[in-house]
């Protein structure tokens, strides 16, 4: 075969392939290239991409050259980049390169007025459901920038030319809008869009079910929001974090939430003060909080290896030995309650025996009824005493938990990447060890289940440590 010189092959290739815009810019000005390309009657896909890029470089940004475009053009118009790409898409519909370039352009932050002009401009050129996919991020930014009434009117106007109004892209688009719109939109708009999404339930992607569940829980939280924030400074901090997380984009939302976790991890004493042992008043906020924690954790990078099962059990056992002394309240309270119950039963049997003797041996109905009354009285008094004993025992147990056990557990939670529910389960398991000194562990585990402060504190440490 003939042998060709390599320099000759490169020269032929350069003749066959027209130089790229970047190559031409080495020897020509951007103005000249821009003017030449826009005067061409027939433009390729590459030409439209090049004209979009060059329109940002040249001083006179007037993308005229075709009569049907001249009325849309103004000097130094920030929409020219998008216009050239859209004119290219008019000629080459669904071209992947032009669409990618347009989507990348729309992801850049722009002033609100420019953003509004962009979404309306695009709606006049792209009338398929691709409009939703292209402009989704831009609409989410606009939602944070402008008054909601104006946002809604612009969106309704932009949707009018779209041909496929019930598309999958539209469902995903509104799923992405509902969360940031939650504290900005009116209730009727939220309900309307939520119902439209629910109507298309079978077409929803798998992740959408989780998002809908979160939105439902968020709506329930909003109904309790005012009463929640009035309970203390920590509740106000958490409420601001929830609102910021739902309103910001993903990276900003994660950062704001982690900053809140840092504040919570440094506020152990205040957490215990703001959250008494009553989970019922905080159940809904805690549910929303834990759903956000799960989302942020799924995106976080794990940096700490979890403890082995044996290592975890040894640590919790050491905690138990530190918490409990040799005279557990459970045993003392249980013994006293059993003594009261036994006395009440003995008195009841005694008076019952006396009633039987009076009725059958002496035939005195009155005496029998009197003794039956004594039986009833002894049971009532015994039951009342038993109730009081149990209430006192429960008060003493809570008092000891709040004053001694709770602060010790708070310090323990800082020592490792624990899971709160696993600590509670391990404390319950101590009952199987038949160790009297650990018999209060079940009561501590029961109280920990209602201790929102410790759960939030541990969650904060887990997220920050990774």
């Amino acid at each position: 075969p003939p042998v060709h010189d390599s320099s000759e092959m490169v020269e032929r290739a350069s003749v066959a392939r027209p130089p790229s815009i970047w190559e031409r810019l080495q020897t020509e000005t951007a103005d000249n290239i821009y003017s030449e390309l826009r005067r061409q009657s027939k433009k390729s896909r590459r030409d439209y991409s090049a004209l979009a890029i060059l329109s940002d470089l040249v001083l006179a940004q007037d993308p005229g050259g075709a009569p049907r475009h001249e009325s849309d053009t103004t000097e130094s118009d920030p929409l020219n980049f998008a216009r050239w790409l859209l004119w290219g898409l008019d000629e080459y519909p669904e071209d992947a390169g032009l669409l990618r370039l347009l989507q990348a352009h729309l992801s850049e932050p722009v002033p609100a007025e420019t953003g509004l002009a962009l979404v309306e401009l695009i709606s006049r050129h792209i009338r398929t459901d691709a409009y939703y996919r292209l402009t989704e991020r831009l609409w989410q930014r606009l939602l944070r920038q402008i008054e909601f009434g104006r946002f809604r009117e612009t969106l309704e106007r932009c949707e009018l030319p779209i041909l496929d109004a019930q598309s999958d892209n539209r469902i995903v688009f509104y799923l992405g809008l509902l969360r940031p719109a939650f504290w900005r939109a009116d209730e009727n708009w939220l309900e309307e869009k939520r119902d439209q999404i629910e109507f298309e339930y079978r077409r929803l992607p798998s992740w959408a079910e989780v998002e809908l569940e979160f939105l439902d829980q968020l709506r329930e939280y909003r109904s309790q929001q005012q009463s929640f924030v009035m309970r203390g400074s920590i509740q106000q901090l958490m409420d601001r974090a929830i609102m910021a997380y739902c309103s910001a984009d993903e990276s900003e939302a994660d950062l704001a939430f982690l900053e809140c976790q840092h504040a919570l991890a440094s506020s152990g004493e205040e957490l215990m003060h703001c959250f008494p042992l009553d989970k019922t008043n905080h159940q809904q906020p805690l549910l929303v909080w834990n759903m956000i924690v799960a989302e942020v954790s799924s995106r976080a990078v794990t940096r700490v290896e979890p403890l082995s099962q044996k290592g975890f059990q040894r640590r919790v056992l050491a905690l138990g030995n530190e918490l409990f002394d040799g005279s557990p309240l459970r045993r003392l309270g249980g013994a006293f309650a059993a003594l009261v119950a036994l006395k009440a039963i003995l008195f009841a049997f005694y008076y019952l025996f006396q009633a039987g003797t009076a009725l059958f041996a002496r035939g005195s109905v009155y005496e029998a009824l009197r003794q039956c009354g004594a039986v009833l009285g002894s049971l009532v008094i015994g039951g009342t005493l038993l109730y009081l004993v149990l209430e006192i025992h429960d008060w003493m147990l809570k008092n000891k938990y709040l004053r001694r056990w709770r602060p010790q557990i708070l310090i323990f939670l800082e020592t490792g990447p624990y899971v709160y529910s696993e600590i509670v389960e391990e404390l319950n398991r101590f009952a199987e060890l038949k160790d009297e000194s650990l018999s209060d562990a079940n009561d501590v585990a029961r109280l920990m289940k209602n201790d929102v402060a410790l759960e939030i504190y541990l969650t904060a440490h887990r997220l920050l440590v990774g």
Side-chain angles (χ1 to χ4, degrees):
V3 177
H4 297 286
D5 182 65
S6 59
S7 61
E8 182 184 348
M9 293 177 65
V10 171
E11 185 178 347
R12 289 181 179 178
S14 63
V15 172
R17 177 183 61 82
S20 68
I21 295 299
W22 309 116
E23 291 170 342
R24 292 184 63 182
L25 283 172
Q26 304 302 314
T27 57
E28 301 178 58
T29 65
D31 286 308
N32 289 338
I33 302 171
Y34 183 71
S35 298
E36 177 189 322
L37 288 176
R38 73 176 183 176
R39 283 196 302 267
Q40 290 179 184
S41 58
K42 180 66 176 176
K43 297 178 179 66
S44 66
R45 296 169 173 83
R46 268 181 70 189
D47 291 339
Y48 282 111
S49 299
L51 283 163
I53 295 168
L54 289 170
S55 69
D56 277 350
L57 299 177
V58 297
L59 295 177
Q61 296 186 9
D62 177 8
R68 64 192 180 94
H69 304 323
E70 287 176 356
S71 62
D72 292 336
T73 307
T74 60
E75 189 88 6
S76 303
D77 190 342
L79 304 183
N80 283 342
F81 189 98
R83 275 201 181 94
W84 278 117
L85 296 177
L86 290 168
W87 289 335
L89 287 166
D90 288 343
E91 193 167 342
Y92 304 101
E94 299 183 10
D95 179 75
L98 293 172
L99 285 171
R100 279 197 300 270
L101 196 55
L102 179 59
Q103 194 160 24
H105 175 64
L106 296 178
S107 67
E108 298 174 0
V110 293
E113 294 303 320
T114 302
L116 288 168
L118 274 171
V119 292
E120 296 213 50
L121 172 66
I122 295 168
S123 71
R124 295 197 293 269
H125 290 267
I126 297 179
R127 301 176 63 190
T128 67
D129 68 339
Y131 175 83
Y132 294 109
R133 187 176 65 252
L134 277 171
T135 60
E136 179 179 7
R137 290 296 179 89
L138 180 53
W139 277 111
Q140 290 175 8
R141 290 199 302 274
L142 286 171
L143 180 60
R144 304 180 190 105
Q145 291 175 308
I146 63 175
E147 188 266 329
F148 181 75
R150 189 180 180 193
F151 173 90
R152 179 179 56 198
E153 291 171 4
T154 308
L155 179 55
E156 289 172 356
R157 193 162 56 247
C158 289
E159 284 191 290
L160 288 176
I162 298 176
L163 302 176
D164 189 2
Q166 300 299 322
S167 67
D168 292 347
N169 282 335
R170 185 176 186 271
I171 295 172
V172 173
F173 173 82
Y174 274 108
L175 267 173
L177 276 184
L178 283 180
R179 187 185 291 197
F182 211 81
W183 274 278
R184 297 180 64 86
D186 58 80
E187 189 66 32
N188 290 338
W189 188 88
L190 290 171
E191 284 294 326
E192 177 189 342
K193 300 308 175 187
R194 173 67 171 79
D195 291 344
Q196 288 175 3
I197 294 170
E198 189 69 35
F199 182 75
E200 303 291 338
Y201 185 79
R202 293 184 179 180
R203 298 166 60 183
L204 293 177
S206 56
W207 60 266
E209 296 182 23
V210 178
E211 180 66 13
L212 284 176
E213 175 64 22
F214 178 77
L215 291 169
D216 288 341
Q217 297 302 335
L218 202 60
R219 181 172 56 181
E220 189 65 29
Y221 166 72
R222 191 170 62 175
S223 67
Q224 306 174 18
Q225 186 178 10
Q226 291 303 315
S227 61
F228 177 67
V229 297
M230 289 175 64
R231 292 193 176 103
S233 58
I234 293 293
Q235 284 88 339
Q236 293 166 14
L237 177 67
M238 292 174 64
D239 178 69
R240 289 194 298 270
I242 291 172
M243 292 177 66
Y245 181 82
C246 295
S247 302
D249 63 33
E250 189 175 285
S251 57
E252 292 178 356
D254 285 0
L255 180 60
F257 194 71
L258 289 173
E259 286 176 353
C260 177
Q261 298 300 319
H262 188 274
L264 292 173
S266 308
S267 308
E269 293 292 332
E270 195 172 357
L271 267 166
M272 291 190 292
H273 174 73
C274 289
F275 287 95
L277 292 178
D278 185 6
K279 197 171 186 177
T280 55
N281 290 330
H282 302 98
Q283 201 151 10
Q284 189 60 36
L286 189 62
L287 179 58
V288 171
W289 189 258
N290 287 336
M291 292 179 81
I292 296 175
V293 166
E295 284 188 9
V296 176
S297 300
S298 68
R299 295 189 288 267
V301 178
T302 303
R303 299 188 298 271
V304 178
E305 288 293 325
L307 288 171
S308 66
Q309 184 66 20
K310 287 185 177 179
F312 169 71
Q313 290 174 346
R314 281 197 298 269
R315 289 197 184 188
V316 180
L317 182 59
L319 171 67
N321 291 328
E322 183 181 346
L323 291 178
F324 311 125
D325 51 34
S327 56
L329 285 175
R330 170 182 282 268
R331 187 174 61 188
L332 294 175
F336 194 60
L339 180 62
V340 171
L342 180 62
K343 283 188 174 182
I345 292 170
L346 288 175
F347 274 115
F349 272 112
Y350 171 76
Y351 288 122
L352 192 61
F353 174 76
Q354 292 293 331
T357 303
L359 181 63
F360 295 109
R362 297 194 295 271
S364 174
V365 175
Y366 171 78
E367 182 66 19
L369 290 174
R370 192 174 69 84
Q371 295 297 334
C372 285
V375 171
L376 183 61
S378 65
L379 289 176
V380 170
I381 293 172
T384 302
L385 288 174
L386 183 61
Y387 171 78
L388 290 174
V389 167
L390 293 176
E391 283 294 305
I392 293 171
H393 171 259
D394 192 52
W395 176 84
M396 292 174 64
L397 192 68
K398 285 184 179 179
N399 188 59
K400 189 171 185 179
Y401 178 84
L402 292 171
R403 291 178 176 272
R404 178 183 169 189
W405 292 334
R406 197 187 201 193
Q408 287 180 277
I409 296 170
L410 188 81
I411 295 171
F412 170 78
L413 297 180
E414 300 173 1
T415 63
Y418 306 118
V419 177
Y420 195 76
S421 59
E422 292 178 0
I423 298 174
V424 173
E425 289 173 9
E426 190 63 22
L427 286 171
N428 275 321
R429 198 181 64 84
F430 285 167
E432 303 171 7
L433 300 180
K434 307 302 181 183
D435 187 341
E436 286 295 329
S437 65
L438 298 175
S439 62
D440 281 336
N442 284 346
D443 289 316
V444 172
R446 175 175 57 83
L447 291 169
M448 280 184 70
K449 284 182 180 180
N450 291 320
D451 199 335
V452 176
L454 294 186
E455 188 172 352
I456 292 172
Y457 188 74
L458 178 58
T459 298
H461 277 276
R462 280 181 59 84
L463 275 178
L464 293 174
V465 173

